[in-house]
Amino acid sequence: VRSVEVAGNLFWVGVKDPDLRVFDINVKTDYGTTYNSYLIMGEKKALVDAVKFGFQDDFLSKIEEHTAVEEIDYLIVNHTEPDHSGCIPLLLKKNPKLKLFCSKPALPFLKNVLNDASVQIEGVKTGDRLDLGGLTLEFQSAPFLHWPDTMFTYLVEEKVLFPCDGYASHFSPHDGMFYRPGDQVVDHAAWYYYDCIMRPYAPHCRKATEEALQKEISVCAPSHGPINNSEPKRFMQKYLEWTEVKKLSDKKLIVVAYASSYGNTQRLAEEIAATMQKAEVDVRLFDVAATPESEKRDLLEAADGLVFGAPTFVNDIVKPMWETLLLLPTVSTSGKRAATFGSYGWSGQAPGMMQSFLQSIKIKVYEPLLKARLVPSEEDLQEAATFARGFLEFLQEN
Ligand SMILES: Cc1cc2nc3c(=O)[nH]c(=O)nc-3n(C[C@H](O)[C@H](O)[C@H](O)COP(=O)(O)O)c2cc1C
Ligand SMILES: [Fe+2]
Ligand SMILES: [Fe+2]
């Protein structure tokens, strides 16, 4: 495979990895992926992003169709994750004069990736420009798409946006490197990529996208999957749709999610939900073992308040509740508040374990938690009502 001309003096020199089936442990890649790198041949020569280690031969031979690596002046590092930074040490070995540009938050990342104090690195911020002689790069900070270090780069004269992992897809085209309008497989791959990788940072994605859409864009050149020159803003506009907060209610929304074998925790959950329903809030009560995963993710993401109830089984939280809690890091949870409760027989660790987990993923949790031994008594139910009212107040505190 050879390099691909993207615009005047701009070439795709990336690599294809069509057989990859899992990316970053968690992400299925049924269509493989690509690691895109771009070579810009101004008076000064620049590369935007490198590729994963292991693909260096393919990468270097594509670059060498246009220039010797020793002749490249700059490397723009939009993101320091190894799928884009893995070959930087090799580039530096061939060309120690290569100067790197990255976002300011990326500086410590790059230091810890390269472990080489002799490398020239400059931190840049939104609006900073790099003159290549006849061509100009402009940078945009885009933190948390999907690491704190990420930024976008824009080639001003050709109106090309390099958003790195933004608007990307894990899809390795059989031939060519361009998006074909109406390609539903790529459309789905772009959604799946957003859903797996970007969704926890939805507010950040939205902000960066709104900012980038201010620019005229004739090519969107991400670092995975096809380059879009026919509908360059397609996936940027999709990100505006996907990041929109799905309002399920005009009032504050509280989700009461429970697991229960003999109805004891369920009884507490019902009392909590019934008490909350008397206030000006919307309450959704559901059994975690009987609710589909995608519905749970949407509910958890839309909720302002999250109340989790689980019995203790063998000193543990039951599996469907763990599986539900583990959905939280896959969606945007900023600003949410939680509470935990459960029925138990003797040791009763589950509510405390849920509380610790929630706190460790930076969700504020209401205290005290609520525990009731075996079948909830009248007194336990009154405590559940007090717990519910306490949580409502906790939710009002800013
Ligand atoms: C298989 C099993 C294991 C249990 N292990 C514990 C335990 O380790 N600690 C504890 O406090 N209760 C334990 N229990 C008791 C339950 O927590 C208790 O029966 C609780 O009321 C069940 O609530 P539920 O009806 O909402 O499921 C266990 C119950 C079962 C069925
Ligand atoms: Fe990444
Ligand atoms: Fe990536």
Side-chain angles (χ1 to χ4, degrees), residues 41-181:
M41 302 285 286
E43 279 165 39
K44 298 277 186 185
K45 301 179 178 81
L47 273 176
V48 178
D49 293 321
V51 305
K52 191 174 167 178
F53 185 77
F55 294 84
Q56 49 274 19
D57 294 346
D58 190 359
F59 180 43
L60 293 176
S61 73
K62 286 200 184 87
I63 292 173
E64 281 155 9
E65 289 171 23
H66 304 279
T67 179
V69 172
E70 294 75 4
E71 300 291 312
I72 300 173
D73 299 281
Y74 308 127
L75 169 65
I76 314 307
V77 181
N78 280 327
H79 179 28
T80 61
E81 196 177 345
D83 53 332
H84 310 293
S85 67
C87 280
I88 298 178
L90 212 119
L91 293 173
L92 286 166
K93 200 169 167 205
K94 283 188 160 271
N95 178 1
K97 297 193 310 290
L98 186 69
K99 183 170 178 189
L100 276 51
F101 291 83
C102 65
S103 75
K104 290 190 180 184
L107 288 167
F109 285 69
L110 214 41
K111 287 199 179 91
N112 288 304
V113 165
L114 301 175
N115 296 313
D116 178 353
S118 72
V119 184
Q120 305 176 68
I121 311 175
E122 189 174 326
V124 293
K125 57 180 188 320
T126 297
D128 285 354
R129 288 184 160 209
L130 177 63
D131 184 4
L132 303 178
L135 291 170
T136 316
L137 294 176
E138 187 176 309
F139 304 107
Q140 179 192 324
S141 307
F144 289 101
L145 270 81
H146 57 123
W147 278 17
D149 65 333
T150 45
M151 68 170 186
F152 291 177
T153 298
Y154 180 66
L155 177 59
V156 177
E157 290 78 6
E158 297 289 336
K159 304 183 178 67
V160 180
L161 182 71
F162 304 100
C164 197
D165 282 343
Y167 325 118
S169 52
H170 285 313
F171 182 89
S172 177
H174 288 298
D175 53 295
M177 266 313 292
F178 293 99
Y179 175 77
R180 294 191 178 90

Side-chain angles (χ1 to χ4, degrees), residues 39 86 92 98 159 177 186 210 225 238 256 346 364 392:
L39 178 64
L92 286 166
L98 186 69
K159 304 183 178 67
M177 266 313 292
V186 175
E210 282 171 348
K238 290 281 179 199
V256 181
W346 54 97
K364 283 195 178 156
L392 287 176

Side-chain angles (χ1 to χ4, degrees), residues 259-266 311-315 343-349 374:
S260 190
S261 58
Y262 291 98
N264 293 335
T265 304
Q266 182 180 357
T312 303
F313 271 29
V314 201
N315 300 318
S343 171
Y344 70 106
W346 54 97
S347 56
Q349 298 97 318
L374 297 168

